[in-house]
Amino acid sequence: MPHPWQASFISAAAPSAEGDPAPYFRREFEVAEGLRRAVLRVTALGIVEPYVNGVRVGDEMLAPGWTSYHHRLMVSDHDVTGLLAPGANAFGAIVGEGWAVGSLTWENRRHNYADRPALCAQLELHFDDRVEVVGTDESFRVGTGAVRANGIYAGETYDARLEPDGWNRSGFDDSGWARAVPFDWNPETLQTPTAPPIRRIEELAPKAVLESPDGRTIVDFGQNISGWVRITVEGEPGRTVILRHAEVLTPAGELETETNRTAAATDRYTLRGGGEETWEPRFTFHGFRYAEIDGWPGEVSPESVHAVVVHSDMVRTGWFESSHPLVNKLHENTVWSMRDNFVGVPTDCPQRDERLGWTGDLNAFAPTAAFLYDVRDLLGSWLRDLAAEQEETGDVPMVVPDVLRTGSTPTALWGDVAISLPWLLYQEYGDPGILRAAYASMTAFMRKVELMLDEHGLWSRGFQFGDWLDPDAPADNPAGGKTDPHLVASAYLCRTTRELARAAEVLGETEDAEHYTRLAERVRTAFRREYVSQAGRVVNESATAYALAIMFGILDDDQLATAGERLATLVRKSGFTIATGFAGTPLITDALTATGHLSEAYDLLLQEKAPSFLYPVTMGATTIWERWDSVLPDGTLNSTGMTSLNHYALGAVADWLHRVVGGLERAEPGWRRIRISPKPGGGLDSAWAAHDTVLGRAEVAWRLDAGEMHVDVTVPEGATATVELPLHPDRLVEHVEGGEYSWHYPASGGSGPDDITMDTPLREIQRDAAVWAAVLDVMRKHFPGVPIEAAGDHLADMSLATVAARLPEGADALKRDLKAALGQLSATDAGRQA
Ligand code: BGC
């Protein structure tokens, strides 16, 4: 039972202006003999750094994090028993501006929640017979110290000469400090956090200390991170070291700060002098890989600077690796973009004047996030903020917590995170309580959307983000891509109506379940009437339109083949460069896979020419970029004003890597049933995916070695798994329970017409005479006069793709003919068996 809250909020007397020093609060108190236990419970409007008797309390950074403060403000509990002793003791805290007070959004608006930093804390001293409370009130004093200025976007200015010695210990003379004044804040907002705190997670030593052509010192930490730089420096008092942060260098090798937009991202440290000094900022964070250092006494040595990686302290639960180094790097970049953007709130980016909880970015990325890390508590807490703000205004905000001045209206992918995220978290963790907690928010969102439908049931009105950042959208209008935004909206509505119907079913809300099932059917019918031809073409004929129609259950079975074929043709036509934005990218590789175009899915994955998944990797990216070509091939920035190098949304393809390349897929909520079905391709020889599910570790590793397939599987106790053994000559499917299993067998590779991809070596195709004959026929047509048959031996190790690449007119026509020939063969095969 927590002790009743007695403390009140306190602040300095005047509102804070941009660039004001941070308030330091302090009070001394007596501790009697017989103290059993002491707990400090602390929060702030701003960022709080608490001290007891001169010792920094706890290891949380940027506390209390960012929530929808006027509904929910988090209070951290710390056991401080060991820091207290009988007699005089002191409590102190510095409160920076943080999200509550400082500038937010590209409008750089201040005072979004409070007009000055305010502190609220109570120290509970537990004795055998009583609890004494030292709570913040007007008996506290407030002054200033070394923290001269601070802002999340701006950075921190610290003058070590101005730190009052001993301000946070007893015996300090605070007679020159002012009395703290009460600050009005509703105590009912105070809550115990459920999300993990933000901490320093890792430190990176410099990869290089560079001298730029302009003679500037730039440290390259080798990785785009969120956090800051810690310096150890020795020099004369009053000297100021300036650190400017950036994600990238200009082609000439100077610091390129354009991706920060108006965020100054600059820290300043003024030396106290008289020996070595170590410092790091604590009231800001930066998204950066490079730091330019100015004013350093002498030369910067690599030992004197470290990058401190700072983000929510989540437990890692998912891993992936393959034999393809660029794919591995793509995956690693995805993990980093997730880490860098989970600083309390799941954000769009960590560097520029946003760092906002954009709902659509998270919705696109959430399946990947839930595989990589345990996000239940963090996203659960974020969903509570979403619901609280939705209840206040009636709409799901575009960013949560909402600090935008423009109101929000219901949108697909962005707003409908209110439905898809709880549904996903329920799938991942298997707890219907997640749905119950979110149900009011889910249904409230859908009720709003229902009001926007036209007479047929299409979502054809109102603003939509559409297929945001479709690479073909005009630079100044990311929502203006190829695919009609209302087609995107209605397609997503087909998904969310069904998710909501199923959620209602799980919760026993029978009437709702029936209502939403009917609504789902109505929207699907309307979509098909408006956008789908009888044969299965989807108007717009864009990759995104097809991907959505295929993946959201909109098409009939007999339309899927046409749609899949059209999608594959589009993908081939664009030379396997990407043509989708936030809405289509998470689904396109799945849509290709589901319609029998695995080889195109791999070709899309492995393309290196821009725009593509791997282009940024070839350009040295260490995180996922906001735009497919945030950095142009000549190394200059795509200067559209919206070109962060650290946006996780397009990293959503990692979900496909986990499920299809690795082969690890959840088949029932909470991983009670698992589908293990790796689909080798793309010339990969191996892949490994592992996930710590709520039941325990699930893992698949497959490896192709000299024609032998090795598959190792771990299934957690309490789960069952269907294992579809990849490239098995008899297409063996095993059903197993918890345990570890291994199989190895000669890989069938290309022996059946269905198994052949463009990556299948000719040697494997030759194993099946009928298939080989069909392939030869096609080859002869495309290589007239070339004795393919005779060259068979010498070509045996080459894949179809390698052979096809020799065609002067390109491989597309050959691929089409092969597909048709093999399709025909497969149909005859099936006919024979039936
Ligand atoms: C953000 C995006 C976001 C979008 C929507 C951008 O500025 O960075 O990722 O979803 O705005 O308007």
Side-chain angles (χ1 to χ4, degrees):
M1 214 0 221
H3 196 75
W5 196 262
Q6 293 175 14
S8 45
F9 279 79
I10 54 169
S11 70
S16 78
E18 176 95 52
D20 275 358
Y24 285 43
F25 297 91
R26 75 179 304 278
R27 200 201 117 160
E28 293 190 19
F29 55 94
E30 288 292 316
V31 174
E33 294 286 344
L35 180 72
R36 289 271 168 254
R37 198 165 71 88
V39 179
L40 174 67
R41 302 170 68 196
V42 58
T43 189
L45 292 157
I47 291 168
V48 61
E49 188 172 71
Y51 291 87
V52 167
N53 292 328
V55 179
R56 163 73 148 93
V57 176
D59 56 2
E60 297 182 0
M61 306 308 295
L62 304 173
W66 187 12
T67 46
S68 176
Y69 295 138
H70 49 285
H71 298 109
R72 308 171 64 238
L73 178 59
M74 298 301 133
V75 179
S76 300
D77 287 8
H78 304 277
D79 188 321
V80 291
T81 318
L83 298 179
L84 297 172
N89 290 264
F91 168 67
I94 309 173
V95 184
E97 298 212 325
W99 295 277
V101 181
S103 293
L104 291 179
T105 83
W106 52 93
E107 294 180 326
N108 279 295
R109 213 166 346 98
R110 294 173 52 74
H111 298 177
N112 288 285
Y113 299 90
D115 68 358
R116 69 197 78 177
L119 172 70
C120 189
Q122 77 178 20
L123 186 59
E124 297 166 5
L125 306 171
H126 294 257
F127 297 88
D128 280 343
D129 55 344
R130 67 190 188 284
V131 179
E132 291 177 10
V133 171
V134 179
T136 41
D137 59 17
E138 285 161 88
S139 69
F140 274 65
R141 312 287 289 183
V142 56
T144 61
V147 182
R148 304 315 295 164
N150 68 96
I152 299 271
Y153 299 162
E156 185 172 326
T157 299
Y158 189 94
D159 187 338
R161 295 170 305 175
L162 300 179
E163 188 72 340
D165 269 337
W167 71 273
N168 46 22
R169 284 191 292 273
S170 66
F172 176 77
D173 176 11
D174 61 16
S175 56
W177 287 24
R179 271 167 83 97
V181 302
F183 183 84
D184 189 26
W185 189 263
N186 177 6
E188 278 167 26
T189 57
L190 300 185
Q191 294 196 6
T192 303
T194 46
I198 300 164
R199 291 198 172 96
R200 298 181 184 94
I201 303 294
E202 188 181 342
E203 284 184 17
L204 305 178
K207 277 268 174 311
V209 179
L210 312 164
E211 193 187 319
S212 80
D214 284 356
R216 297 171 181 280
T217 302
I218 297 177
V219 183
D220 175 6
F221 291 102
Q223 175 62 49
N224 201 11
I225 65 159
S226 65
W228 51 68
V229 176
R230 186 171 59 229
I231 57 172
T232 300
V233 59
E234 193 170 344
E236 72 279 11
R239 171 187 274 277
T240 298
V241 173
I242 301 175
L243 299 135
R244 295 170 65 227
H245 303 77
E247 297 184 286
V248 67
L249 301 182
T250 65
E254 301 297 337
L255 203 70
E256 171 63 271
T257 56
E258 191 181 320
T259 69
N260 298 340
R261 287 203 311 224
T262 66
T266 302
D267 296 331
R268 294 184 178 80
Y269 179 75
T270 302
L271 278 69
R272 175 192 284 258
E276 212 170 74
E277 302 170 46
T278 295
W279 176 79
E280 64 194 281
R282 293 99 67 202
F283 302 101
T284 187
F285 68 94
H286 312 296
F288 71 103
R289 168 176 168 172
Y290 300 92
E292 183 187 286
I293 304 186
D294 196 22
W296 193 272
E299 286 204 353
V300 176
S301 75
E303 301 75 48
S304 54
V305 283
H306 277 88
V308 184
V309 177
V310 179
H311 56 76
S312 290
D313 195 359
M314 304 168 289
V315 176
R316 179 89 187 253
T317 55
W319 298 266
F320 171 86
E321 225 175 270
S322 75
S323 57
H324 200 297
L326 297 185
V327 172
N328 293 349
K329 185 65 181 156
L330 172 71
H331 190 265
E332 196 188 322
N333 291 355
T334 307
V335 174
W336 270 107
S337 274
M338 171 164 180
R339 297 176 63 181
D340 297 342
N341 279 296
F342 273 66
V343 183
V345 165
T347 56
D348 55 338
C349 57
Q351 77 295 79
R352 72 178 177 219
D353 46 14
E354 292 204 52
R355 318 186 195 184
L356 305 171
W358 279 104
T359 46
D361 303 45
L362 178 67
N363 207 11
F365 188 69
T368 300
F371 186 90
L372 293 173
Y373 280 90
D374 182 347
V375 291
R376 178 176 180 164
D377 294 336
L378 191 147
L379 293 182
S381 172
W382 184 80
L383 274 174
R384 276 200 288 283
D385 284 338
L386 180 150
E389 300 199 333
Q390 179 190 13
E391 209 181 301
E392 186 184 334
T393 65
D395 275 305
V396 173
M398 290 172 186
V399 300
V400 175
D402 192 9
V403 284
L404 299 184
R405 234 191 309 219
T406 45
S408 297
T409 50
T411 49
L413 188 59
W414 272 254
D416 70 26
V417 75
I419 291 174
S420 295
L421 183 59
W423 181 248
L424 170 83
L425 296 178
Y426 164 64
Q427 299 296 311
E428 174 62 29
Y429 302 106
D431 176 3
I434 295 170
L435 293 177
R436 178 48 74 201
Y439 192 64
S441 158
M442 297 167 91
T443 49
F445 173 78
M446 190 57 87
R447 274 196 299 277
K448 275 267 173 154
V449 177
E450 283 188 70
L451 294 175
M452 299 174 82
L453 303 187
D454 67 15
E455 73 268 32
H456 299 292
L458 272 186
W459 194 355
S460 54
R461 278 190 284 259
F463 168 76
Q464 291 293 339
F465 292 95
D467 192 20
W468 185 257
L469 285 175
D470 171 340
D472 298 314
D476 59 350
N477 179 17
K482 299 179 286 295
T483 316
D484 175 356
H486 289 104
L487 181 154
V488 173
S490 296
Y492 268 87
L493 187 57
C494 288
R495 171 170 93 169
T496 48
T497 43
R498 221 164 323 110
E499 287 172 343
L500 188 50
R502 291 175 63 194
E505 236 168 72
V506 172
L507 296 175
E509 302 280 355
T510 322
E511 258 175 55
D512 282 3
E514 283 165 13
H515 171 75
Y516 293 121
T517 304
R518 276 196 306 275
L519 181 62
E521 206 32 61
R522 179 162 171 250
V523 178
R524 179 176 182 264
T525 306
F527 188 102
R528 292 161 57 86
R529 172 186 170 279
E530 181 83 14
Y531 300 123
V532 184
S533 84
Q534 217 163 15
R537 286 206 191 206
V538 182
V539 305
N540 263 150
E541 291 251 271
S542 70
T544 291
Y546 278 113
L548 304 186
I550 291 168
M551 293 311 295
F552 292 159
I554 294 170
L555 304 176
D556 289 339
D557 287 350
D558 58 351
Q559 293 173 318
L560 278 172
T562 305
E565 192 48 62
R566 291 300 302 163
L567 174 61
T569 304
L570 286 175
V571 167
R572 278 194 297 267
K573 259 198 188 151
S574 62
F576 302 103
T577 58
I578 202 105
T580 49
F582 278 27
T585 301
L587 300 157
I588 184 161
T589 41
D590 271 305
L592 287 166
T593 310
T595 50
H597 302 282
L598 180 69
S599 119
E600 281 82 357
Y602 270 105
D603 287 339
L604 193 63
L605 172 73
L606 298 179
Q607 172 60 267
E608 296 175 22
K609 208 173 85 195
S612 66
F613 289 114
L614 293 187
Y615 164 72
V617 175
T618 66
M619 292 293 286
T622 62
T623 38
I624 301 296
W625 295 348
E626 177 175 24
R627 288 179 185 267
W628 293 106
D629 54 353
S630 281
V631 179
L632 302 172
D634 66 2
T636 57
L637 272 186
N638 181 340
S639 52
T640 49
M642 259 197 41
T643 191
S644 121
L645 303 192
N646 208 349
H647 257 62
Y648 48 50
L650 300 177
V653 69
D655 183 44
W656 183 78
L657 295 179
H658 304 147
R659 285 182 294 102
V660 176
V661 181
L664 195 52
E665 184 172 2
R666 189 179 52 228
E668 231 178 61
W671 293 84
R672 287 185 301 269
R673 238 165 26 82
I674 303 176
R675 178 176 181 220
I676 291 177
S677 180
K679 296 191 170 50
L684 271 64
D685 304 317
S686 66
W688 166 69
H691 183 53
D692 285 335
T693 74
V694 280
L695 295 174
R697 170 65 60 98
E699 192 164 354
V700 191
W702 62 263
R703 179 166 53 88
L704 256 177
D705 192 0
E708 280 279 304
M709 177 59 94
H710 302 257
V711 182
D712 297 311
V713 163
T714 303
V715 177
E717 287 307 324
T720 60
T722 309
V723 187
E724 296 164 27
L725 288 156
L727 307 185
H728 193 280
D730 308 321
R731 305 202 190 156
L732 188 64
V733 178
E734 300 265 31
H735 300 276
V736 298
E737 307 203 322
E740 290 179 13
Y741 307 88
S742 292
W743 292 267
H744 54 98
Y745 46 87
S748 76
S751 62
D754 291 342
D755 301 319
I756 292 186
T757 71
M758 288 304 285
D759 302 297
T760 312
L762 298 193
R763 181 192 308 286
E764 282 170 25
I765 300 174
Q766 286 168 349
R767 284 194 200 144
D768 186 310
V771 176
W772 181 232
V775 169
L776 272 180
D777 264 356
V778 176
M779 292 292 211
R780 280 192 206 105
K781 174 176 158 200
H782 286 273
F783 292 95
V786 179
I788 298 277
E789 215 163 352
D793 251 7
H794 139 84
L795 294 178
D797 284 327
M798 291 189 187
S799 67
L800 281 173
T802 321
V803 177
R806 303 182 167 204
L807 279 171
E809 77 271 16
D812 277 4
L814 175 90
K815 276 191 180 178
R816 227 181 358 262
D817 288 348
L818 275 174
K819 193 150 261 170
L822 295 171
Q824 215 167 10
L825 206 62
S826 158
T828 345
D829 247 17
R832 260 203 312 269
Q833 275 165 26

